C-alpha cells in the first residue's frame, strides 16, 4: 500500500493540478493504480469550496478565483505555501471520511511539531491552529478534501513562508475572528525541501504504519 510521491519544484497551475488529480483518481479506482501524494506550490489564487459564501470573496479581482469540488469555503494558495494533494483509496482504510480528515490533521500537526510548533485542532474549525504568545489563535494549515467512490483528492496546505497579505482578499474559510500565520511568521526558517522530508516521514507513520496497513 506504499504511495507514490510527486514533488513539483515549479509552480503548478490550479487547472493543471485538478485535471491530473481527476485522472489519477480514476486510475486508482478503475485500474488499481497506486495511491499518490503530490507536493507542490500554486501561483497566487483563491479557491472556493462547496460551502463558500460569495460575500467572503472581498477582492474578487485580486487573483484568479477557481470553484473547487472540495469541501470548505474560500482559501488562498500561492508561493511559499506547501500544498499536499492526497489521492488515497479509502476502502482498505475503513471507508471512514471523518477518520481520514482527522488523520490529515494529525499529519500536519506531526509535521509542525518537528519544527517546534504546536498545532492544535478546534471544534467547528477545520484545519490546524496555533496559539500566539498573546493568546490569539491563527490558522497555519487548511484542509479541504473530496472523496469520489472512496478515493480521496485535494488535501492540505501548510503556510511555510507565503505573503500573508494575500489572505486579506478573502475571509479564509469563512472565519473572520481569527488570522493566519506561517512558519516564517513564527520565526522559523524552513525550506520546502525540509518541510517535504518531514511530511513524507509523518505520512508514513500516520497513514501507512498501523494495524492492517503495510508500511
Amino acid at each position: 500500500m506504499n504511495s507514490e510521491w510527486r514533488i513539483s519544484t515549479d509552480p503548478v497551475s490550479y487547472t493543471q493540478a485538478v485535471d491530473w488529480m481527476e485522472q489519477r483518481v480514476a486510475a486508482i479506482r478503475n485500474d488499481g493504480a497506486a495511491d499518490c501524494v503530490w507536493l507542490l506550490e500554486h501561483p497566487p489564487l483563491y479557491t472556493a469550496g462547496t460551502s463558500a459564501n460569495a460575500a467572503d470573496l472581498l477582492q474578487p479581482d485580486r487573483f484568479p478565483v477557481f470553484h473547487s469540488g472540495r469541501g470548505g469555503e474560500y482559501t488562498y494558495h500561492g508561493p511559499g505555501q506547501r500544498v499536499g494533494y492526497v489521492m488515497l483509496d479509502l476502502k482498505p482504510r475503513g471507508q471512514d471520511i471523518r477518520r481520514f480528515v482527522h488523520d490529515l490533521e494529525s499529519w500536519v500537526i506531526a509535521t509542525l511539531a518537528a519544527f517546534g510548533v504546536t498545532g492544535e485542532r478546534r471544534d467547528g474549525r477545520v484545519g490546524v491552529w496555533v496559539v500566539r504568545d498573546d493568546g490569539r489563535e491563527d490558522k497555519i494549515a487548511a484542509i479541504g478534501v473530496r472523496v469520489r467512490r472512496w478515493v480521496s483528492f485535494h488535501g492540505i496546505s501548510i503556510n511555510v513562508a507565503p505573503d500573508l497579505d494575500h489572505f486579506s482578499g478573502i475571509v479564509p474559510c469563512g472565519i473572520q475572528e481569527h488570522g493566519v500565520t506561517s512558519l516564517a511568521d513564527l520565526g522559523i526558517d524552513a525550506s520546502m525541501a525540509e518541510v517535504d522530508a518531514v511530511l513524507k516521514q509523518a505520512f508514513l507513520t500516520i497513514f501507512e504504519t498501523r494495524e492492517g496497513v503495510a508500511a
Side-chain angles (χ1 to χ4, degrees):
M1 203 174 284
N2 291 337
S3 301
E4 176 188 346
W5 285 76
R6 289 168 52 94
I7 299 177
S8 295
T9 55
D10 295 325
V12 179
S13 75
Y14 191 73
T15 53
Q16 177 186 347
V18 171
D19 288 347
W20 196 91
M21 281 194 289
E22 292 275 1
Q23 294 175 27
R24 186 55 173 256
V25 166
I28 292 170
R29 180 73 282 131
N30 299 326
D31 304 321
D35 293 341
C36 182
V37 181
W38 187 9
L39 304 180
L40 55 87
E41 292 173 89
H42 285 304
L45 58 91
Y46 298 130
T47 65
T50 54
S51 302
N53 181 345
D56 290 339
L57 181 59
L58 306 178
Q59 299 176 25
D61 298 325
R62 186 171 187 181
F63 297 125
V65 180
F66 297 90
H67 291 274
S68 169
R70 62 162 175 80
E73 304 185 48
Y74 280 103
T75 193
Y76 165 78
H77 294 312
Q81 181 190 72
R82 179 48 96 213
V83 173
Y85 288 136
V86 182
M87 291 148 274
L88 298 184
D89 185 351
L90 299 183
K91 282 190 174 181
R93 293 178 165 86
Q95 297 183 201
D96 187 334
I97 296 175
R98 187 182 298 273
R99 179 176 180 176
F100 173 59
V101 172
H102 185 276
D103 285 348
L104 290 174
E105 292 171 338
S106 296
W107 181 32
V108 172
I109 289 168
T111 299
L112 295 173
F115 295 96
V117 174
T118 300
E120 300 179 359
R121 298 177 177 87
R122 287 294 181 266
D123 290 341
R125 288 191 258 142
V126 176
V128 177
W129 302 79
V130 296
V131 180
R132 308 299 292 263
D133 291 340
D134 60 3
R136 75 181 190 273
E137 297 179 1
D138 289 339
K139 192 170 191 175
I140 194 169
I143 294 174
V145 299
R146 185 174 181 182
V147 176
R148 178 182 298 151
R149 296 175 60 195
W150 293 111
V151 179
S152 71
F153 54 126
H154 297 279
I156 68 164
S157 60
I158 299 176
N159 297 331
V160 179
D163 184 340
L164 294 179
D165 180 65
H166 289 180
F167 287 88
S168 65
I170 58 173
V171 178
C173 300
I175 300 172
Q176 295 183 339
E177 60 271 27
H178 298 285
V180 292
T181 189
S182 66
L183 290 177
D185 185 49
L186 296 172
I188 297 165
D189 182 15
S191 70
M192 283 296 180
E194 291 170 330
V195 173
D196 291 348
V198 177
L199 279 168
K200 186 170 185 178
Q201 184 57 52
F203 184 92
L204 294 174
T205 300
I206 291 166
F207 286 94
E208 297 190 353
T209 309
R210 60 161 52 124
E211 184 178 355
V213 179

